[in-house]
Amino acid sequence: MYYNWKQSINTDELQNVSKLINNGEVIVFPTETVYGIGANALDTEAVRKIFLAKGRPSDNPLIVHVADKEEIKQIAVIQTEVEQKLIDSFMPGPITIILKKKPIIPNIVSAGLDTVGIRMPSNKIAQKIIKTSKVPIAAPSANISGRPSCTRILDIREELESRVSVVIDGGNSNIGLESTVIKVIDDIPVILRPGKITPEQIEEVIGKVKIDSKVFEKLLDDEKPESPGVKYRHYAPKTKCKLIYSKDENKQIEMINNLIKGNNKIIVLCLEEHKNKILVNKENIISIGYKSKKETIARNIYSALRDADSKGADLILIEGVEKSGLGIAIMNRLLRTCEYDYVEG
Ligand code: TXA
Ligand code: MG
């Protein structure tokens, strides 16, 4: 089933969505970051259906979406002032805070951990669905496990519509990258997954912030990550990808052109200002936006990867950006897209 709520929320359809959630069914709904595939977080069997629909490994926990701050206390324990401050400063919004879980959250949601990721989306449709259903909603990003998250309804319909009860269209995702995931360890916020809310923004209200070493580095074979999601291949198209970056823009273009050398089966995800300098056929070029507009790049990146993947090329070359501000989140996703096949010159 497909509901179009791009212009406004249809109240009869909303009642139906709430009924589906309370009957243990799975839905796809928009959030401000990426689309989510959700079910009643308090219903083990409903949550199991999410893992099945995505083909998600059972040891990778789901985050739980709530509509107001009171609801957080029913499912998790706020143990420190730092956690409270993060909630007060950034919720609702594109942030997930890992808190000690209460027993009401089934183990399937937390994958056996004693913590649970809590997120309060600012997207009006997401809020309305949670409020009307009157239950917290467990929802990972809506995509087959390992693939880029979906930010366009077209991708959702192709990949997931047949696996869920209803797909709700809220237009393209506004941010385009998943939420910033934070865990407070020894009173210091540690960023496990970077996102729209940057380390600088958190530092401004909290003070010292750490970035988990796995944000840019590959997990070693016997290493246990703070965030289980790090273990798995992620954000990846089927086509092999390579990430190229240099502080010197001309060098970056030269590095890409050297890799292309007349090969027509290469697609380039390039910065808008480089479109005419990259030596491949025009149809093999997909622009991700201007270098200075990181918000646009974040919004475009997953759909660009999906479009590139549909062209049946041998290789996708991707222009990187500076690892600062929102660039930290963009490069975190791209490094994993490319399985760390990264050249910096
Ligand atoms: O923006 C988002 O966060 C989107 C939308 C739909 O809300 N959701 C999302 O969920 O990206 P998912 O499951 O694709 O990513 C959640 C990440 C995973 O890497 C998971 O391992 C990590 O958060 N995570 C979840 N619970 C955790 C926990 N208790 N401790 C550490 N990491 C956790
Ligand atoms: Mg995901």
Side-chain angles (χ1 to χ4, degrees):
M1 210 168 21
Y2 166 82
Y3 289 162
N4 183 347
W5 293 0
K6 274 192 296 196
Q7 302 306 328
S8 61
I9 298 173
N10 178 304
T11 43
D12 290 340
E13 289 173 353
L14 177 65
Q15 288 310 319
N16 199 34
V17 169
S18 151
K19 230 184 264 164
L20 288 169
I21 290 287
N22 282 285
N23 285 340
E25 297 303 328
V26 177
I27 66 165
V28 171
F29 65 103
T31 84
E32 69 277 21
T33 55
V34 298
Y35 274 82
I37 173 168
N40 179 356
L42 308 180
D43 179 342
T44 296
E45 286 318 307
V47 172
R48 201 185 310 283
K49 290 182 190 167
I50 301 177
F51 280 90
L52 278 175
K54 279 196 65 149
R56 181 171 175 112
S58 60
D59 64 350
N60 194 4
L62 308 186
I63 61 187
V64 175
H65 298 67
V66 297
D68 62 63
K69 291 181 184 169
E70 278 312 300
E71 221 179 325
I72 300 176
K73 295 185 194 139
Q74 291 159 20
I75 56 180
V77 189
I78 302 164
Q79 291 178 298
T80 64
E81 255 175 64
V82 178
E83 288 166 346
Q84 186 63 55
K85 233 174 170 175
L86 286 168
I87 292 169
D88 293 342
S89 313
F90 297 109
M91 286 187 173
I95 195 165
T96 297
I97 305 176
I98 309 292
L99 297 174
K100 186 176 162 55
K101 93 172 186 73
K102 283 196 172 167
I104 189 172
I105 294 291
N107 284 330
I108 188 168
V109 172
S110 59
L113 298 176
D114 60 0
T115 54
V116 60
I118 304 287
R119 171 150 140 68
M120 191 188 300
S122 59
N123 178 286
K124 293 286 171 271
I125 294 178
Q127 285 187 356
K128 203 72 184 193
I129 292 172
I130 304 165
K131 273 193 195 136
T132 312
S133 306
K134 298 197 172 70
V135 288
I137 294 185
S141 54
N143 53 274
I144 299 291
S145 221
R147 308 255 300 126
S149 301
C150 293
T151 54
R152 293 183 298 206
I153 202 69
L154 178 138
D155 301 321
I156 294 280
R157 299 197 79 173
E158 207 177 283
E159 192 157 306
L160 286 172
E161 188 167 352
S162 62
R163 297 175 185 230
V164 301
S165 293
V166 63
V167 158
I168 298 151
D169 187 349
N172 291 345
S173 307
N174 184 25
I175 294 173
L177 291 179
E178 307 82 354
S179 61
T180 306
V181 177
I182 297 194
K183 185 175 182 181
V184 176
I185 303 173
D186 297 331
D187 273 333
I188 296 172
V190 181
I191 297 180
L192 305 183
R193 179 178 70 183
K196 176 82 189 338
I197 294 174
T198 60
E200 293 80 20
Q201 280 174 286
I202 298 162
E203 226 154 39
E204 261 175 44
V205 286
I206 310 277
K208 191 177 153 105
V209 174
K210 282 188 188 157
I211 300 179
D212 189 84
S213 64
K214 293 302 158 249
V215 162
F216 292 127
E217 284 167 24
K218 201 170 173 173
L219 194 70
L220 303 172
D221 280 346
D222 54 355
E223 209 173 355
K224 191 173 169 290
E226 196 62 59
S227 175
V230 172
K231 275 191 297 204
Y232 297 103
R233 185 157 189 243
H234 243 33
Y235 321 118
K238 296 177 194 111
T239 317
K240 191 179 148 33
C241 300
K242 196 180 187 84
L243 180 61
I244 291 101
Y245 175 73
S246 171
K247 274 202 177 75
D248 175 345
E249 228 174 299
N250 290 326
K251 188 158 183 206
Q252 181 161 312
I253 296 168
E254 190 188 313
M255 283 159 74
I256 290 173
N257 283 336
N258 280 338
L259 287 164
I260 297 169
K261 288 232 172 79
N263 185 339
N264 280 322
K265 296 206 78 180
I266 292 183
I267 307 290
V268 184
L269 258 56
C270 82
L271 297 169
E272 177 68 25
E273 55 264 62
H274 296 170
K275 257 185 357 195
N276 297 323
K277 297 178 179 165
I278 305 260
L279 306 174
V280 283
N281 297 335
K282 276 221 160 14
E283 59 270 23
N284 290 14
I285 289 213
I286 298 174
S287 166
I288 51 175
Y290 287 100
K291 187 180 174 174
S292 61
K293 298 264 191 289
K294 293 218 181 90
E295 264 87 9
T296 311
I297 298 178
R299 200 176 297 132
N300 286 341
I301 197 73
Y302 287 141
S303 53
L305 282 168
R306 284 175 173 271
D307 288 344
D309 210 17
S310 68
K311 289 181 180 274
D314 292 337
L315 177 67
I316 302 169
L317 295 177
I318 307 170
E319 284 204 84
V321 296
E322 197 193 337
K323 286 183 197 149
S324 67
L326 187 52
I328 298 175
I330 296 170
M331 288 299 272
N332 161 265
R333 304 308 193 277
L334 288 178
L335 277 164
R336 303 190 60 197
T337 292
C338 297
E339 297 185 273
Y340 302 89
D341 188 351
Y342 174 55
V343 197
E344 187 170 330

